[in-house]
Amino acid sequence: MVGMASEETRTAETRTEKFAEERTHETRPEVPAEVSGTETASGASPARTPAGAAPAPTPATRAWATRLVVVGIVLSALNLRPAITSLGALLEEVRDGLGMSGSVAGLLTSVPPLCFAVFGITAPRLARRFGAGAVVCAGMVAITAGLLIRPYAGGTAGFLAASALALMGIAVSNVLMPVIVKRWFPDRVGSMTGLYSMALALGTSLAAAVTVPMTDALGGSWRTGLAVWAGLAAAAVLPWIPLVRGRGAGPAQEPARAAEDPRAAPLRITRSRTAWALAVFFGLQATAAYITMGWMPQIFRDAGVPAGTAGVLLAVTMVMGVPLAFVIPRLATRLPHQGPIVLALGVCGLAGYTGLYLAPAAGAWAWALLLGVSNCAFPLALTMVGMRARTGPGVVQLSAFAQSTGYLISIPGPLLVGVLYQHSGGWGVPLALMAALMLPQMAVGFLAGRDRTVESEAAR
């Protein structure tokens, strides 16, 4: 009897333990395989999804989305400058066709950095509300509409308004491209920034080089020559549409990281010394780039270089950014401090300006190459934007602050060079100004290259 009682007791205890295990299993929350780190015997993570949550995308879906993002980044980058450089190639024809005065034409050349500064600052708020991918998609739509409308707007005011629409799309895309790179490719910031910068440089030089011959081939109308670039912008809209419809603003695992919650409280970005250093560096390099694009051909022509050759020299300067824009960001991400690259680019700029002063015609090709290398401070600045912030929202704020503040800084430079050239009667004083500006660019770039993040500085 005692034995039978003991057996029944053990059976009851076993049933109680099984019941407790079942209850524990039922109440234990499901943990996705990516978080728990568990895998099946075949090496694949078990597909378990919390109740009420959308199923995680399969590896094939994620790979497809990643490839689509790469295409979107490249096509978008190709469209971030043709609106400007195609107009520069046909500016004389546009002035004659619309009856623009010289002062209005001068204002037109100052509109891009102004729009970049004004509209770029709105990008963080738009990205928090709609997602970075959706805002870039809308930016490409704005570029398409602006480029298509402005040649046929019917007057100077309409032309300026349509140009501002296209530049608004460029401005928000300028700010959010580093953000998308950081979110989708956190372990490949250098290579992806290099790809993006290379595509941007290619679009810049391509529009400058082919707009005039393409206009001639299409019948000689400047309106057609400008409007045709809307086709390239329209192509850049397409990759973003499925990503936006599928909520593809960022990789699937990003919402799980609380540190990168787009709804997180904004940083006090102005408290960061690194943010200020990067903003000033961005502004000074943009100043040098706009001066080079606007005035370098005139410097060569005044030195006796034929007009056609002067244009080719400018094209060489711009084309230098295509290969170097891919190499420099990759190198920058492998260094703990990007200051040495800043200094090397600055030395090339100083050598180029010195050569333009001493022997502008004799060493024209060498000076063009040196200034092309120096202008690659732009992809370096973009790379440092992605490296100086830890989180997605931090990159959004830093990119908006650095680019908007930087473009505001760059506005007076080309105008001041023109005033100095007109009043001094030569290029000695303007070139001295360009060389002088290179020194603070090197100093603040060196500070921005330190291994720090704006989150840690803004929290102090």
Side-chain angles (χ1 to χ4, degrees):
M1 293 292 292
V2 174
M4 292 176 63
S6 300
E7 183 66 22
E8 290 176 356
T9 301
R10 284 195 298 270
T11 302
E13 289 175 350
T14 302
R15 289 175 179 173
T16 302
E17 290 173 357
K18 288 183 178 180
F19 178 78
E21 285 183 358
E22 291 172 355
R23 293 290 299 167
T24 302
H25 179 72
E26 289 172 358
T27 57
R28 184 184 299 124
E30 291 288 334
V31 180
E34 296 86 2
V35 176
S36 65
T38 58
E39 294 182 345
T40 63
S42 62
S45 299
R48 294 188 296 177
T49 303
T58 64
T61 302
R62 287 197 296 268
W64 171 83
T66 301
R67 287 193 290 268
L68 204 58
V69 170
V70 173
V71 174
I73 288 173
V74 171
L75 286 177
S76 298
L78 285 171
N79 283 279
L80 294 183
R81 292 300 179 270
I84 303 170
T85 51
S86 63
L87 176 60
L90 295 173
L91 184 58
E92 184 175 348
E93 289 79 3
V94 172
R95 286 182 57 187
D96 294 341
L98 297 177
M100 284 186 185
S101 64
S103 59
V104 173
L107 174 65
L108 193 60
T109 61
S110 300
V111 166
L114 179 62
C115 287
F116 292 165
V118 172
F119 295 121
I121 201 68
T122 66
R125 180 174 298 179
L126 294 172
R128 285 195 297 270
R129 183 173 178 84
F130 302 106
V135 176
V136 172
C137 182
M140 294 300 112
V141 172
I143 296 171
T144 304
L147 292 181
L148 193 60
I149 294 171
R150 74 175 180 177
Y152 308 103
T156 300
F159 189 92
L160 288 172
S163 295
L165 176 62
L167 292 170
M168 177 177 65
I170 295 172
V172 295
S173 301
N174 271 339
V175 171
L176 295 179
M177 277 294 144
V179 178
I180 291 174
V181 167
K182 177 77 170 183
R183 288 182 177 179
W184 277 89
F185 310 99
D187 56 343
R188 287 181 284 166
V189 170
S191 59
M192 290 306 302
T193 302
L195 181 64
Y196 152 69
S197 302
M198 185 172 64
L200 191 151
L202 180 61
T204 303
S205 55
L206 185 67
V210 308
T211 295
V212 172
M214 185 168 58
T215 301
D216 294 337
L218 293 174
S221 171
W222 63 266
R223 299 180 191 274
T224 305
L226 291 182
V228 72
W229 291 102
L232 182 62
V237 176
L238 301 179
W240 298 107
I241 294 176
L243 290 167
V244 172
R245 292 181 64 184
R247 302 292 183 183
Q253 68 272 23
E254 184 186 6
R257 295 200 297 265
E260 299 198 15
D261 187 349
R263 295 170 296 181
L267 296 170
R268 296 181 180 179
I269 198 75
T270 55
R271 298 178 61 178
S272 169
R273 294 181 180 180
T274 297
W276 278 107
L278 190 53
V280 176
F281 175 67
F282 195 98
L284 292 176
Q285 67 81 27
T287 299
Y290 279 110
I291 289 174
T292 300
M293 287 188 289
W295 292 108
M296 196 176 79
Q298 191 65 48
I299 295 174
F300 285 129
R301 292 181 68 174
D302 288 351
V305 176
T309 304
V312 173
L313 288 167
L314 176 61
V316 168
T317 299
M318 303 309 297
V319 168
M320 285 296 296
V322 177
L324 290 179
F326 187 71
V327 173
I328 289 176
R330 291 171 63 89
L331 177 62
T333 55
R334 296 177 182 177
L335 297 176
H337 193 313
Q338 290 74 47
I341 304 178
V342 172
L343 297 181
L345 298 179
V347 169
C348 289
L350 289 173
Y353 293 139
T354 302
L356 286 176
Y357 176 76
L358 296 176
W365 294 99
W367 317 142
L369 289 172
L370 285 170
L371 291 176
V373 174
S374 179
N375 282 346
C376 287
F378 175 70
L380 177 60
L382 292 179
T383 305
M384 288 196 288
V385 166
M387 298 179 68
R388 297 288 88 88
R390 289 194 303 266
T391 65
V395 177
V396 174
Q397 284 189 255
L398 179 58
S399 182
F401 177 75
Q403 294 199 43
S404 296
T405 305
Y407 282 123
L408 281 176
I409 292 172
S410 71
I411 291 173
L415 301 176
L416 182 57
V417 166
V419 171
L420 292 175
Y421 171 61
Q422 182 177 351
H423 285 82
S424 67
W427 286 105
V429 176
L431 286 170
L433 172 66
M434 298 179 207
L437 290 176
M438 189 59 65
L439 297 177
Q441 177 180 324
M442 295 164 69
V444 294
F446 191 87
L447 293 176
R450 295 176 298 173
D451 188 12
R452 300 184 179 184
T453 61
V454 293
E455 287 89 351
S456 59
E457 292 183 342
R460 294 175 184 173

